[in-house]
Amino acid sequence: MEWQPDEQGLQQVLQLLKDSQSPNTATQRAVQQKLEQLNQYPDFNNYLIFVLTRLKTEDEPTRSLSGLILKNNVKAHYQNFPPPVADFIKQECLNNIGDPSPLIRATIGILITTIASKGELQTWPELLPQLCNLLNSEDYNTCEGSFGALQKICEDSSELLDSDALNRPLNIMIPKFLQFFKHCSPKIRSHAIACVNQFIIGRAQALMDNIDTFIESLFALAADEDSEVRKNVCRALVMLLEVRIDRLIPHMHSIIQYMLQRTQDPDENVALEACEFWLTLAEQPICKEVLAGHLVQLIPILVNGMKYSEIDIILLKGDVEEDEAVPDSEQDIKPRFHKSRTVTLQHEGGGGEEGEDIDEDEDDDDDTLSDWNLRKCSAAALDVLANVFRDDLLPHLLPLLKGLLFHPDWVIKESGILVLGAIAEGCMQGMVPYLPELIPHLIQCLCDKKALVRSIACWTLSRYAHWVVSQPPDSHLKPLMTELLKRILDGNKRVQEAACSAFATLEEEACTELVPYLSFILDTLVFAFGKYQHKNLLILYDAIGTLADSVGHHLNQPEYIQKLMPPLIQKWNELKDEDKDLFPLLECLSSVATALQSGFLPYCEPVYQRCVTLVQKTLAQAMMYNQHPDQYEAPDKDFMIVALDLLSGLAEGLGGHVDQLVARSNIMTLLFQCMQDTMPEVRQSSFALLGDLTKACFPHVKPCIAEFMPILGTNLNPEFISVCNNATWAIGEISMQMGAEMQPYVGLVLSNLVEIINRPNTPKTLLENTAITIGRLGYVCPQEVAPMLPQFIRPWCTSLRNIRDNEEKDSAFRGICMMIGVNPGGVVQDFIFFCDAVASWVSPKDDLRDMFYKILHGFKDQVGEENWQQFSEQFPPLLKERLPHCCYPRWDTASGVSMGGLLGNSSSSVLLHCPDRGGEGRHWPAPLDTPPPSPVCLEGGGGGDLWIDADLNPTRSVKERQGQ
């Protein structure tokens, strides 16, 4: 017997559905409770499907709402539905997919998809065949409803549809969909393309088998009068460009012409889909070749797309100039995620390495309009094309730019400033001649009466900050800084935000160039504390933290500390332990503590204690949640991560002064728990802190080493790059403190480290840290590590050849020299790599230089003159030139010649030694048989002074923080 509702029960359900549409919150709460009660009765879901599919006399919103409540029940409780209930719902859905109401058809489609996504595609074998069959119905509503459901299933279950688990239904579905590209209804044509589009990126075999038919069918629909169809055609071509460019190349000229038209489509959604084409094409190797001839048409179209539309201006409140007193609404504030500290070396050239997360806003110049729109897409496309074509883009742009930048209409002028910012990275070289004129104009735009012009000028100037800093400070840096600081105190919140972000970029570029202006900068930033609403306050913390990172210990002046610390500590005291605004404040304080060093001492105790409390609270909450997940909420571990990172900053900044704080707290016990947390970011920050505490107060760490080392060993897993990186670094720091006592632990870590250094595609930072740690282990326990030399010497040498001279490099190379002393045979096969690594030194300490000298000459003596000659002949010219710099002990003044020729007299160089300046030397390339040029300072006399400071390239281990 088919199920029938009880009339009284049906009326009760209908009343409930009516009540749930009431605006009264008390009524809604009562409805919610009633729904939870009714969910105890399985056939309640029968009533819901009955209202949706059978009660045609009811109004559509009530029927649809019934379906949506049922959908939520399916999501939450479907596995508890008795089979008769589940079967009734499925049958009703299929029987009513062609309901005359579009709203009811769409609701039934959503319900079918929800059931399918609960793993029911396998146990509902008639679903796909029936839906495909219904596509042939003469009744439009049935065809459209079935397609709507199929489109949702294709979106949700694309991988499953192309799998053996379902017997590959796509083999039937794709050819079927392609037939409907010619349907007379635009809605059906649009559904058909949208269904097929779901399988492009995954390269579904059934689609690849029909790829030519698909592309021909798309071309046939290119000029369709329906905007939704055109949008789906554009989307398909963009994805095909990514996965089957081979099939598009023969038609590329026509496709480009088509996309040029569509990027100007009167329907902005179509124009946006088409604009994505240029972004995707820019990533293809053929971009330059196929697009060069079309730039003359494309550039003006992209530039035109970069203007604010009228709707943008309304949404952005572009007519509101002063809004600084209006409190922020919480939904304006995007959720912030803390990025844990990663221990890295500062390398030549800086910047992000592969495998590091670089958080760049790029063209996200209108953050509050976070929706992707034509303006943003056009700007992003111009940016990537500037990186492809470089200065070849400028002949097409410069004639347009002049008209834009000085245009009386602010909307056009604003778009010109955005254009200038978008091309900054790619066309920098070609723009340099124009910058002396443009930068002052942009600085002037910072005072424009329109807030949206002022804010875009901030962003564009930040894109040219590198050039500004490379000029004499008075010419551009000083005026830019003066105006940007005024904008930080602007009356418009959007301008404040843009100015604060731009200033943070300027700080990163200028670094210590800002030291003379620190007082003025701090006055402004501190004044902003009292002025800013919630959202911009978070950006202000970032600007202060970046300033501390950029000027470092120069901030450690009583005058500056007096300005900066009171407002930071006031905010610190105002915020509760569970307030997420602590994240950016803790990050900021972490940078400030590291920079102020001993200057932070008066503030360190309460800050330290609170961090320890935050860690302790989070761990306790996590434990309660793990034991009773139904009674307790899961903690937000970001509180613990940020606190660990600030403790790291304190340890790094205060050094030995942190000793007393550690002694009076249970941080080592907490750290033991954090190091074993299930969340990788917690472990990452724990290992950074462990390394910093090892450097700052090792006596407190030492008693825990036996417990800590096995944990560090198990975290040498490159699947979690940053965790692995920090664990590796911490092991190296511990080795240097433990000395020979490290011996029992070498076996726990060495084989993992050797495996990591030999892995392909390991990020550069991890390779360098791994090489340094292996070297340090070898330095303290050469007998234990040296037998494995042949397994790591080559990647070890190539990893460390590009880093600057510093203490970590020094200890690692001493380790490798000691291991070669124990196991010289281990380096024979790869000796040229060792020579190359030695040659990377600019200024090794004398005793390290002696070690290099002994190894190289020992090797030369061992193999004999002739073999050595043949070996050294294969050195590249640069290696021949540099190697002697790094391994001659010193100039022998008694004889006037260097001590021993390594590469033959003609190509070698000598070291000039200057004892009266600290015993460091500088290399002077010169043939060995000629005396050094003068003026020169030699031991025992000489004329002038060729001294260059030993810390010409200072580096140290640093923590990478948010935004660095």
Side-chain angles (χ1 to χ4, degrees), residues 148-165:
L150 280 165
Q151 186 179 330
K152 293 180 185 75
I153 291 170
C154 291
E155 284 169 14
D156 288 358
S157 310
S158 60
E159 280 182 36
L160 190 56
L161 293 174
D162 191 31
S163 71
D164 289 326

Short mmCIF file of all heavy atoms in Angstrom, two decimals, residues 148-165:
data_model
loop_
_atom_site.label_atom_id
_atom_site.label_comp_id
_atom_site.label_asym_id
_atom_site.label_seq_id
_atom_site.Cartn_x
_atom_site.Cartn_y
_atom_site.Cartn_z
N GLY A 148 18.36 19.96 -14.73
CA GLY A 148 18.78 20.70 -13.52
C GLY A 148 19.35 19.75 -12.48
O GLY A 148 20.40 20.01 -11.88
N ALA A 149 18.66 18.60 -12.29
CA ALA A 149 19.15 17.61 -11.31
C ALA A 149 20.47 17.01 -11.77
O ALA A 149 21.42 16.85 -10.98
CB ALA A 149 18.10 16.51 -11.14
N LEU A 150 20.56 16.68 -13.06
CA LEU A 150 21.81 16.09 -13.58
C LEU A 150 22.98 17.06 -13.44
O LEU A 150 24.10 16.65 -13.12
CB LEU A 150 21.62 15.70 -15.06
CG LEU A 150 20.89 14.36 -15.28
CD1 LEU A 150 20.42 14.24 -16.72
CD2 LEU A 150 21.79 13.18 -14.91
N GLN A 151 22.71 18.36 -13.69
CA GLN A 151 23.81 19.33 -13.57
C GLN A 151 24.35 19.35 -12.14
O GLN A 151 25.56 19.37 -11.92
CB GLN A 151 23.32 20.74 -13.97
CG GLN A 151 24.48 21.75 -13.99
CD GLN A 151 24.02 23.13 -14.40
OE1 GLN A 151 23.07 23.29 -15.17
NE2 GLN A 151 24.70 24.16 -13.91
N LYS A 152 23.42 19.30 -11.16
CA LYS A 152 23.87 19.32 -9.76
C LYS A 152 24.64 18.04 -9.42
O LYS A 152 25.63 18.07 -8.70
CB LYS A 152 22.66 19.49 -8.83
CG LYS A 152 21.99 20.86 -8.94
CD LYS A 152 20.81 20.99 -8.00
CE LYS A 152 20.07 22.30 -8.19
NZ LYS A 152 19.23 22.32 -9.40
N ILE A 153 24.17 16.90 -9.97
CA ILE A 153 24.89 15.62 -9.70
C ILE A 153 26.28 15.68 -10.34
O ILE A 153 27.28 15.25 -9.73
CB ILE A 153 24.08 14.42 -10.24
CG1 ILE A 153 22.81 14.24 -9.40
CG2 ILE A 153 24.91 13.13 -10.21
CD1 ILE A 153 21.82 13.24 -9.97
N CYS A 154 26.37 16.22 -11.55
CA CYS A 154 27.67 16.34 -12.23
C CYS A 154 28.62 17.23 -11.43
O CYS A 154 29.82 16.96 -11.33
CB CYS A 154 27.51 16.89 -13.64
SG CYS A 154 26.68 15.74 -14.76
N GLU A 155 28.08 18.30 -10.84
CA GLU A 155 28.92 19.20 -10.04
C GLU A 155 29.42 18.50 -8.78
O GLU A 155 30.59 18.62 -8.42
CB GLU A 155 28.10 20.44 -9.62
CG GLU A 155 27.91 21.45 -10.74
CD GLU A 155 26.88 22.53 -10.38
OE1 GLU A 155 26.52 22.64 -9.19
OE2 GLU A 155 26.42 23.24 -11.30
N ASP A 156 28.52 17.75 -8.12
CA ASP A 156 28.87 17.16 -6.82
C ASP A 156 29.65 15.86 -6.92
O ASP A 156 30.40 15.51 -6.02
CB ASP A 156 27.59 16.88 -6.01
CG ASP A 156 26.97 18.17 -5.50
OD1 ASP A 156 27.55 19.23 -5.74
OD2 ASP A 156 25.89 18.10 -4.87
N SER A 157 29.44 15.10 -8.00
CA SER A 157 29.99 13.73 -8.04
C SER A 157 30.75 13.44 -9.33
O SER A 157 30.70 12.33 -9.85
CB SER A 157 28.84 12.71 -7.89
OG SER A 157 28.02 13.03 -6.81
N SER A 158 31.47 14.48 -9.85
CA SER A 158 32.09 14.30 -11.18
C SER A 158 33.07 13.12 -11.20
O SER A 158 33.10 12.35 -12.16
CB SER A 158 32.79 15.59 -11.62
OG SER A 158 33.77 15.94 -10.69
N GLU A 159 33.86 12.96 -10.13
CA GLU A 159 34.87 11.87 -10.14
C GLU A 159 34.20 10.50 -10.13
O GLU A 159 34.61 9.58 -10.83
CB GLU A 159 35.79 12.01 -8.93
CG GLU A 159 36.87 13.05 -9.16
CD GLU A 159 37.83 13.16 -7.98
OE1 GLU A 159 38.12 12.12 -7.36
OE2 GLU A 159 38.28 14.29 -7.71
N LEU A 160 33.14 10.39 -9.32
CA LEU A 160 32.44 9.10 -9.19
C LEU A 160 31.81 8.68 -10.52
O LEU A 160 31.80 7.50 -10.89
CB LEU A 160 31.36 9.23 -8.10
CG LEU A 160 30.69 7.95 -7.64
CD1 LEU A 160 31.70 6.92 -7.16
CD2 LEU A 160 29.67 8.23 -6.53
N LEU A 161 31.32 9.68 -11.28
CA LEU A 161 30.65 9.37 -12.55
C LEU A 161 31.65 8.84 -13.58
O LEU A 161 31.27 8.21 -14.55
CB LEU A 161 29.95 10.63 -13.10
CG LEU A 161 28.75 11.14 -12.28
CD1 LEU A 161 28.26 12.46 -12.84
CD2 LEU A 161 27.61 10.13 -12.27
N ASP A 162 32.93 9.14 -13.37
CA ASP A 162 33.94 8.68 -14.32
C ASP A 162 34.71 7.48 -13.76
O ASP A 162 35.86 7.26 -14.09
CB ASP A 162 34.90 9.84 -14.64
CG ASP A 162 35.81 9.52 -15.82
OD1 ASP A 162 35.38 8.78 -16.72
OD2 ASP A 162 36.97 9.99 -15.83
N SER A 163 34.04 6.73 -12.85
CA SER A 163 34.77 5.62 -12.20
C SER A 163 34.11 4.28 -12.51
O SER A 163 32.95 4.21 -12.91
CB SER A 163 34.79 5.84 -10.69
OG SER A 163 33.49 5.62 -10.18
N ASP A 164 34.89 3.22 -12.29
CA ASP A 164 34.35 1.86 -12.50
C ASP A 164 33.27 1.51 -11.48
O ASP A 164 32.45 0.62 -11.73
CB ASP A 164 35.49 0.83 -12.39
CG ASP A 164 36.42 0.94 -13.59
OD1 ASP A 164 35.92 1.23 -14.69
OD2 ASP A 164 37.64 0.74 -13.42
N ALA A 165 33.29 2.23 -10.34
CA ALA A 165 32.32 1.91 -9.28
C ALA A 165 30.89 1.96 -9.81
O ALA A 165 30.02 1.21 -9.36
CB ALA A 165 32.48 2.89 -8.12
#
